[in-house]
Amino acid sequence: MKKNILLSIFLAFAMFCGAQVPCWDGTVAESYNGGDGTLENPYQIATPQQLALLAQQTNDGTGGNACYILTEDICLNGEGDNINWTPMGYRINGTQYAAFTGVFDGNDHTVSNLYCIASEVYQCTGLFGCTEDAIIKNVIVSDVYLTDGYSSGAVVGYAMNTNISNCNADGHVEANMMAGGIAGYCQVNANASSLIENCVNYSNVITFDYGGGITGYSHGDIVYKKCENYGVIEGEVDCDCGGIVGISKPISINIPLVNCVVEECVNHESAEIIATTAGGIVGRAQLGIINKCANYASITGHLTGDEGFGSTFVGGITGTGGAISNSFNRGNLSAINSSTCDFQEAYIGGITGVDEHNAISSAFNVYSTGNITPPDLSGVPETDYGYANIVGYTFHPDENYYNCFWLDGNGYPACGNEEMQEHPNLPGSCAFTQGSTPTSWVLNEPQYGTTDLLEALNAGSLGQCTWLEDVTGINDGYPIIEMDGESDYQLVGDEWYYEITHSNGTISYQHLVHENDSTINDDKVKVIVKTNTLYDLRTNQTTHEYIYEENNKVYWWNKTLQEFTVLYDFGANVGDEWTITAGNNSVTVHVDEVGYLVKDARWFKAMIISDANDVFSGTVVCGIGHLTSFFPEQLLENKGDFEVEGIRCYWNDDILLYKEDDTDCDAVYNQWHSVDETIANKGFVVYPNPAKDIISISLSDNIECQSVSIYSIYGRLLKSQNDNFETINLANLIPGLYLIKVRMNDGKEFSEKIVVK
């Protein structure tokens, strides 16, 4: 590896200049260089012998449970030496283990020339063999050589409930099961979580099962943030490999909130991935969120197998699965066939190869520019395959993939499903081409009222990130993501629709809409009109509520006490509490869990809260509110004889972002919005929607229509009409979801989904 050669030259030069770091002779020190093991005064490690003392004490149970800090660089092998390092902590067949349980601060020093061949006892190899409830930070592990282990990582072989931050590694990491540039295996127990942050890998990684630039096997609620990989990741037969994580697996798929997250991570051009299931960021994302990530490397699927069937799944972001958002792939995608099976399958997607079985699989607000090279399947008796710019194969093309864009020109569709070959587009998705400047990119079809790719990406991000123009050319002119920008989880939307139950058992609805802004006590507030519509009683109960947002908190105006109370605290952590007052009543809510809610292919930051009397217990979703009742109705003295039973529809800027169960949200929206009101806001309206046989187009006085076209959700043109827009016949269309496009005389186009009953 070029970096290793340069580093060796540098070390040799340093020796000749009198800056030689004394290397380990295999002995163990009797004491540390100072300190008492507390956080304020950690044990000081200045020599290889003292580092070996920490390993010895960790493994025999006499230490490894305090705070330690490196005060000097450490050399574990001189030139020509191969002294085998004994990792700090061990794990034997999953039944016997000793773990480092303290805090280790590398203090930005380097541990170099770590050489470790696994043994029967030390099956988990790395600087640390096994850690539990530990913190490891600020350490550089250079010129590492690990082999023959069960689980291997330059920093940690087997990490349980361990936070790792600001760690770098380079060298060679190889394992029989799980291999990672930083950690081979990361696991957290139920109701726990870990953070792997600001770690960079340069090591080449080889594995026979799971391999990743940062972690080979990730199990449980683990967040990877701001990590980078430069090393090649190569799997042998039937392996899952990714630039950041080989496989991301939850403790259970039956959990309310997700905390398996890979965010703001990059797999660089040098970091080629070669595996059966290969992804630029995650190989196999069984249940997890991938957000604000970028892949630049070539991804190669290895189709193997000599009996039964062979398969390979290749994706620019994930090989299979994951809730992918606000990410892009710049790497080329291909697969090679070395299988002799009678049945072979290959799926290649610019973003993901294929849906993960019984887990999250979706993508929105992404783009890919990579070329696709399929494997040679000629002569194979039976094959299944799909090659596409976004997803190789999906079970939900109409629901889980949208706002997806790809560079035009390679001849492949957005989705590789066989039934979509003649209808290549996904909802709200299209190809793009070079514009008039090196940093401008033009959509083939308008999205969010624009044909500019950058504008469409920012409109589709929903405040979760900011896309920037590549003015410096670091991304060949394509849009880039502001990695350091904070996500906006505030209440940005303006219309909610809840179900309520009256005391006599009849069901009706509560409607909330952001009507306008006002001012109370110098605070700019949103005016929320809340209508409890009880159709069976022929009455409406309407109130005006006032909220404002500041520092991740939403405040609600208490009309009785004439003061604001905290309604939601979106910045709260597990264990935090806040008190809500309504009238003269109050309730203290406790945060039980914080994570992400995945719904209809989108994900939202969320928390589960509870209170002693279940007044306001439930799930609060950032940007939406409480999923049972936006306000704690049980605290209201004049709430009426009804109970709010839960949200059914939520819109932001007329875009449906959340839908519960089978509610017909289009019909609900039309019920609350008149044709005249919609025309005033949008310039046109399509009605009725849903429709049965006829729809009409109404325009404002200053707009003239040129044509109306109706497409299937797959992008196939079904009907076009150039006049008489007041009556468009739908009688020949089967029930389902369609896209209607309205083109104006000035060249502008607008589109809207319609439902045909």
Side-chain angles (χ1 to χ4, degrees):
M1 187 176 181
K2 185 179 292 186
K3 177 178 174 61
N4 292 348
I5 295 173
L6 293 175
L7 183 61
S8 298
I9 293 173
F10 173 79
L11 290 175
F13 180 77
M15 293 178 185
F16 283 114
C17 292
Q20 181 177 359
V21 177
C23 296
W24 190 33
D25 59 5
T27 62
V28 180
E30 294 184 357
S31 62
Y32 297 108
N33 207 45
D36 58 13
T38 62
L39 187 62
E40 297 77 15
N41 187 24
Y43 289 123
Q44 298 176 25
I45 297 175
T47 68
Q49 290 79 9
Q50 291 168 355
L51 189 65
L53 173 62
L54 176 55
Q56 177 178 282
Q57 291 180 341
T58 299
N59 296 332
D60 66 17
T62 61
N65 58 351
C67 298
Y68 307 82
I69 188 170
L70 287 184
T71 59
E72 302 288 343
D73 291 344
I74 302 293
C75 175
L76 293 179
N77 274 287
E79 185 177 358
D81 292 338
N82 286 317
I83 302 175
N84 204 62
W85 172 249
T86 300
M88 293 179 270
Y90 63 84
R91 187 178 180 90
I92 306 174
N93 298 325
T95 57
Q96 303 177 43
Y97 73 93
F100 176 83
T101 59
V103 176
F104 184 88
D105 185 353
N107 198 24
D108 295 327
H109 285 291
T110 299
V111 178
S112 62
N113 301 313
L114 189 157
Y115 177 87
C116 186
I117 298 178
S119 65
E120 184 177 351
V121 173
Y122 296 99
Q123 300 171 352
C124 303
T125 60
L127 178 63
F128 292 84
C130 183
T131 62
E132 184 174 16
D133 299 323
I135 295 175
I136 302 174
K137 58 184 179 180
N138 309 322
V139 63
I140 303 167
V141 183
S142 178
D143 281 319
V144 64
Y145 182 85
L146 308 175
T147 189
D148 293 343
Y150 164 79
S151 178
S152 298
V155 178
V156 186
Y158 197 108
M160 298 183 290
N161 302 337
T162 297
N163 291 337
I164 306 172
S165 62
N166 304 313
C167 293
N168 292 5
D170 69 72
H172 176 92
V173 176
E174 184 175 345
N176 298 326
M177 287 285 289
M178 297 164 285
I182 300 298
Y185 184 99
C186 288
Q187 175 185 351
V188 297
N189 300 329
N191 302 318
S193 62
S194 289
L195 174 64
I196 316 296
E197 186 175 24
N198 292 321
C199 292
V200 182
N201 172 61
Y202 295 91
S203 300
N204 292 331
V205 175
I206 299 176
T207 181
F208 286 85
D209 274 304
Y210 307 100
I214 303 300
T215 299
Y217 198 115
S218 183
H219 192 191
D221 288 351
I222 304 174
V223 175
Y224 295 84
K225 192 174 181 66
K226 295 184 182 299
C227 293
E228 301 178 59
N229 177 50
Y230 290 85
V232 174
I233 314 298
E234 184 173 358
E236 296 299 327
V237 178
D238 195 21
C239 292
D240 299 337
C241 292
I244 303 300
V245 177
I247 182 173
S248 176
K249 185 176 182 180
I251 295 293
S252 170
I253 63 173
N254 299 314
I255 55 178
L257 299 184
V258 174
N259 270 300
C260 304
V261 180
V262 181
E263 189 169 35
E264 300 183 39
C265 294
V266 179
N267 191 50
H268 291 275
E269 187 175 3
S270 59
E272 182 182 1
I273 314 296
I274 306 169
T276 303
T277 301
I281 301 299
V282 180
R284 185 180 297 273
Q286 289 196 333
L287 184 66
I289 292 166
I290 298 96
N291 183 46
K292 296 167 64 174
C293 291
N295 172 61
Y296 293 90
S298 297
I299 313 298
T300 303
H302 192 192
L303 205 166
T304 60
D306 55 11
E307 61 181 41
F309 68 90
S311 62
T312 188
F313 310 108
V314 183
I317 302 299
T318 69
T320 68
I324 306 165
S325 62
N326 299 308
S327 300
F328 63 84
N329 168 55
R330 296 288 321 285
N332 294 327
L333 307 142
S334 63
I336 54 176
N337 187 4
S338 61
S339 172
T340 58
C341 299
D342 290 338
F343 177 78
Q344 297 177 26
E345 60 179 356
Y347 294 98
I348 303 175
I351 298 299
T352 185
V354 68
D355 288 355
E356 179 67 16
H357 182 62
N358 289 334
I360 300 169
S361 298
S362 64
F364 75 91
N365 223 51
V366 297
Y367 76 81
S368 176
T369 67
N371 293 321
I372 297 173
T373 304
D376 182 5
L377 299 180
S378 60
V380 180
E382 187 176 356
T383 62
D384 272 345
Y385 58 87
Y387 315 126
N389 285 295
I390 300 300
V391 54
Y393 183 86
T394 173
F395 296 101
H396 306 284
D398 296 342
E399 303 170 4
N400 288 6
Y401 295 85
Y402 46 89
N403 293 19
C404 301
F405 309 106
W406 61 94
L407 184 63
D408 202 1
N410 65 13
Y412 289 102
C415 177
N417 290 25
E418 183 177 356
E419 69 271 19
M420 294 188 67
Q421 298 309 302
E422 296 182 4
H423 320 295
N425 285 359
L426 294 162
S429 304
C430 67
F432 63 88
T433 56
Q434 178 78 56
S436 59
T437 69
T439 61
S440 64
W441 305 93
V442 181
L443 300 177
N444 289 2
E445 301 175 8
Q447 308 294 335
Y448 295 101
T450 180
T451 57
D452 184 272
L453 173 62
L454 180 61
E455 291 181 3
L457 289 169
N458 274 313
S461 71
L462 306 177
Q464 293 172 355
C465 78
T466 300
W467 290 81
L468 304 172
E469 182 181 0
D470 180 25
V471 295
T472 62
I474 62 173
N475 197 30
D476 295 331
Y478 294 99
I480 56 178
I481 306 165
E482 186 180 20
M483 292 295 191
D484 293 327
E486 291 296 324
S487 297
D488 182 3
Y489 297 113
Q490 296 183 340
L491 284 167
V492 296
D494 43 29
E495 192 161 359
W496 301 257
Y497 193 64
Y498 287 83
E499 183 175 294
I500 61 177
T501 301
H502 192 255
S503 60
N504 63 8
T506 57
I507 295 176
S508 182
Y509 297 95
Q510 182 182 85
H511 180 255
L512 294 89
V513 62
H514 171 208
E515 185 176 71
N516 54 51
D517 294 334
S518 184
T519 302
I520 297 179
N521 294 350
D522 296 326
D523 291 310
K524 186 177 180 180
V525 299
K526 296 180 179 180
V527 180
I528 306 295
V529 177
K530 183 179 70 173
T531 304
N532 298 321
T533 307
L534 304 177
Y535 297 107
D536 54 297
L537 301 180
R538 304 288 183 185
T539 63
N540 290 340
Q541 298 178 0
T542 301
T543 62
H544 288 74
E545 309 293 340
Y546 307 94
I547 63 173
Y548 78 93
E549 302 165 279
E550 188 175 78
N551 297 328
N552 289 320
K553 294 180 180 179
V554 177
Y555 294 87
W556 178 31
W557 180 245
N558 186 323
K559 300 171 186 176
T560 302
L561 301 180
Q562 294 289 290
E563 63 184 23
F564 283 103
T565 183
V566 176
L567 180 62
Y568 305 126
D569 184 355
F570 290 154
N573 297 310
V574 173
D576 290 347
E577 294 182 338
W578 70 87
T579 298
I580 306 170
T581 62
N584 293 307
N585 301 316
S586 65
V587 60
T588 298
V589 297
H590 180 272
V591 180
D592 300 322
E593 185 176 347
V594 175
Y596 297 87
L597 175 73
V598 179
K599 180 70 176 176
D600 297 330
R602 283 190 171 94
W603 57 266
F604 306 87
K605 187 178 180 182
M607 65 183 70
I608 296 177
I609 62 174
S610 63
D611 58 85
N613 297 315
D614 282 335
V615 172
F616 207 45
S617 299
T619 302
V620 177
V621 177
C622 300
I624 295 179
H626 203 296
L627 294 187
T628 301
S629 174
F630 190 89
F631 300 105
E633 299 284 347
Q634 293 184 44
L635 296 180
L636 300 178
E637 297 170 351
N638 60 342
K639 76 181 185 70
D641 196 10
F642 60 84
E643 296 294 337
V644 183
E645 301 291 350
I647 195 168
R648 297 297 174 260
C649 310
Y650 169 75
W651 297 268
N652 171 32
D653 194 21
D654 297 328
I655 298 173
L656 179 65
L657 295 188
Y658 186 95
K659 175 183 176 182
E660 189 67 51
D661 302 326
D662 297 324
T663 305
D664 189 345
C665 292
D666 289 328
V668 170
Y669 189 87
N670 289 332
Q671 169 193 327
W672 288 95
H673 294 265
S674 68
V675 171
D676 291 340
E677 177 190 358
T678 306
I679 292 176
N681 292 334
K682 298 174 64 176
F684 77 101
V685 67
V686 179
Y687 68 96
N689 188 12
K692 186 175 182 181
D693 298 320
I694 300 293
I695 60 170
S696 298
I697 308 291
S698 288
L699 306 169
S700 63
D701 294 337
N702 61 339
I703 294 180
E704 294 183 357
C705 185
Q706 183 184 98
S707 65
V708 173
S709 301
I710 298 177
Y711 295 81
S712 74
I713 199 63
Y714 304 121
R716 181 184 178 190
L717 178 62
L718 302 175
K719 186 179 182 66
S720 184
Q721 194 161 315
N722 298 318
D723 55 18
N724 190 22
F725 305 119
E726 294 182 359
T727 303
I728 300 174
N729 196 324
L730 306 177
N732 62 334
L733 299 181
I734 63 174
L737 184 64
Y738 295 86
L739 188 70
I740 185 168
K741 292 187 178 180
V742 182
R743 183 176 180 83
M744 307 307 177
N745 281 343
D746 61 3
K748 292 182 179 179
E749 287 188 343
F750 302 93
S751 61
E752 188 153 317
K753 293 177 183 177
I754 60 171
V755 177
V756 176
K757 292 184 176 180

